Amino acid sequence: SAFPVPGKHVAVITPRMLRILLSYLCLPLLGVFFLILYAYLGKITFTLTWPEGGVANWIIAFSSLGYFVYAFSHHMVEYEGYSKLRKCFTIFFASVIPMSVMLFFAIAQRIEQHGLTEKRYGVIVAGVWLLGISIYYLAHKKRFLQVIPYSAAILLLLSVLGPWNAFSLSVHSQFTRLKMALDS
């Protein structure tokens, strides 16, 4: 049943448990993911060799995981004065900016090679969203959690409505590439 039964133990996540979960599991995993991703992006930067895909997926996964962890720890970070946790997330938001730039370079290369598709359009929209959220959270002292879902919803609506939607731009791009291939 949806209601607790008297005499039965109901599992409840307490603030202390959440703090322990964040401090000893989520943030260390995010930190390890951060180090691996930055080492990978450093290798790409210094060797000037792009891998065959995957960069955008890792950047979006890391950033999304970080935003998810931030959403769960928002109350502690913003209202309970955990300054170390706030500094960790400030570093996280700052780290997303160069990764977003790398994401745009990676997706631009794929679009140049193979044209725009719905998936690549989605990566661009995700990159714009990640960059915008990070800049917002770095620029404002008072960080509102509602910005994350509201901005995502607005951006998703804009990406499916109007002449700039993913499908019409993809069809136009692929049709133009086909026409150029047939003309040459």
Side-chain angles (χ1 to χ4, degrees), residues 34-97:
F34 167 83
L35 292 174
I36 292 169
L37 189 57
Y38 260 86
Y40 187 56
L41 295 178
K43 177 186 174 264
I44 292 169
T45 303
F46 290 117
T47 62
L48 298 174
T49 306
W50 288 91
E52 289 296 319
V55 174
N57 296 335
W58 285 106
I59 292 171
I60 291 170
F62 168 75
S63 303
S64 299
L65 178 66
Y67 290 149
F68 187 71
V69 171
Y70 176 76
F72 275 104
S73 62
H74 176 74
H75 186 74
M76 289 189 306
V77 172
E78 299 302 325
Y79 303 110
E80 294 182 14
Y82 288 94
S83 62
K84 289 182 183 178
L85 199 55
R86 186 173 177 91
K87 287 178 186 174
C88 285
F89 281 108
T90 301
I91 292 168
F92 165 74
F93 293 129
S95 73
V96 170
I97 293 172

Side-chain angles (χ1 to χ4, degrees), residues 127-141:
V128 167
W129 180 73
L130 295 172
L131 185 62
I133 292 293
S134 290
I135 290 171
Y136 168 79
Y137 278 123
L138 287 172
H140 291 86
K141 287 267 190 205

